Amino acid sequence: MRDVWLRPVNLGDIVNVMTWVNDPEVVGNFATFETEKTEDDERRYIEKMMESENDRVFSLEDEQRHYLGQAGIFQIHWPTRLGRLGIIISDKNKRGMGYGHGAIREIQRVAFEEMRLHKLWLIVFEENARARHVYEKAGFKEEGLLKGEYLLR
């Protein structure tokens, strides 16, 4: 596991996000990335996330403070203290090196210690073996199988 730093997403992150947001190899495991995103789309999304009461989005940085990708706790339901984890390691050269695990551990720390959430959940495609391994290593347990949850084209 590598050390990963989280910082709140800001409009300056658009330049980094645009390097991967339309790359099917990076976003292929996310059902919400079905159409090409423009810089204006991304600006609106970041502004929305920065104002949201129910989402916390972070940029990820490595030991040298180089950009690694994005992570977030989404769809937070405050009455039951639940949130959905999402993470993208966009730098293909950094995958498989422990940054994903480090990012998940840091998100868990923020979720449980700072935000006082009760549970983090996520959806991962059954065939995404790399992600499933990392999530299991970080303590996530499979609770169910959602057949046909997303229509992917």
Side-chain angles (χ1 to χ4, degrees), residues 8 46 50 57 60 62 79 87 89 103 123 152:
I46 290 173
M50 289 170 55
V57 180
L60 306 173
D62 68 11
I87 180 171
I89 302 295
I123 293 176
L152 299 177

Side-chain angles (χ1 to χ4, degrees), residues 1 11 22 37-38 40 46 58 69 80 93 96 102 108 119-121 127 131 133-134:
M1 177 175 63
L11 291 175
N22 293 311
K37 308 289 187 219
T38 67
D40 285 338
I46 290 173
F58 305 95
T80 56
N93 297 320
Q108 288 172 319
K119 181 178 181 178
L120 281 179
W121 63 276
E127 59 273 359
H133 171 75
V134 172

Side-chain angles (χ1 to χ4, degrees), residues 20-74:
W20 59 263
V21 73
N22 293 311
D23 183 345
E25 189 178 330
V26 177
V27 299
N29 288 304
F30 289 84
T32 57
F33 286 89
E34 62 217 16
T35 59
E36 189 159 317
K37 308 289 187 219
T38 67
E39 205 169 294
D40 285 338
D41 293 334
E42 206 50 44
R43 179 175 290 105
R44 283 190 296 275
Y45 176 77
I46 290 173
E47 287 171 344
K48 178 181 170 186
M49 291 298 104
M50 289 170 55
E51 295 172 8
S52 176
E53 296 290 324
N54 301 313
D55 304 284
R56 298 292 183 274
V57 180
F58 305 95
S59 290
L60 306 173
E61 296 179 340
D62 68 11
E63 302 93 333
Q64 289 79 39
R65 299 294 209 232
H66 295 129
Y67 178 83
L68 290 169
Q70 302 296 134
I73 304 169
F74 303 93

Side-chain angles (χ1 to χ4, degrees), residues 38-150:
T38 67
E39 205 169 294
D40 285 338
D41 293 334
E42 206 50 44
R43 179 175 290 105
R44 283 190 296 275
Y45 176 77
I46 290 173
E47 287 171 344
K48 178 181 170 186
M49 291 298 104
M50 289 170 55
E51 295 172 8
S52 176
E53 296 290 324
N54 301 313
D55 304 284
R56 298 292 183 274
V57 180
F58 305 95
S59 290
L60 306 173
E61 296 179 340
D62 68 11
E63 302 93 333
Q64 289 79 39
R65 299 294 209 232
H66 295 129
Y67 178 83
L68 290 169
Q70 302 296 134
I73 304 169
F74 303 93
Q75 300 170 334
I76 300 167
H77 186 253
W78 291 106
T80 56
R81 299 189 333 254
L82 298 175
R84 180 180 60 83
L85 172 69
I87 180 171
I88 292 176
I89 302 295
S90 62
D91 186 338
K92 297 171 192 172
N93 297 320
K94 300 280 183 155
R95 292 189 199 145
M97 298 176 64
Y99 289 107
H101 188 221
I104 292 167
R105 285 294 191 203
E106 188 61 14
I107 285 281
Q108 288 172 319
R109 185 193 66 73
V110 169
F112 299 127
E113 294 177 19
E114 293 180 19
M115 298 171 65
R116 300 287 188 221
L117 294 183
H118 168 70
K119 181 178 181 178
L120 281 179
W121 63 276
L122 58 92
I123 293 176
V124 60
F125 291 125
E126 188 174 19
E127 59 273 359
N128 190 348
R130 176 185 281 169
R132 290 171 61 93
H133 171 75
V134 172
Y135 295 135
E136 288 169 8
K137 192 173 168 182
F140 284 86
K141 304 285 185 222
E142 184 175 317
E143 292 187 356
L145 178 63
L146 302 171
K147 293 186 177 221
E149 184 70 9
Y150 296 106

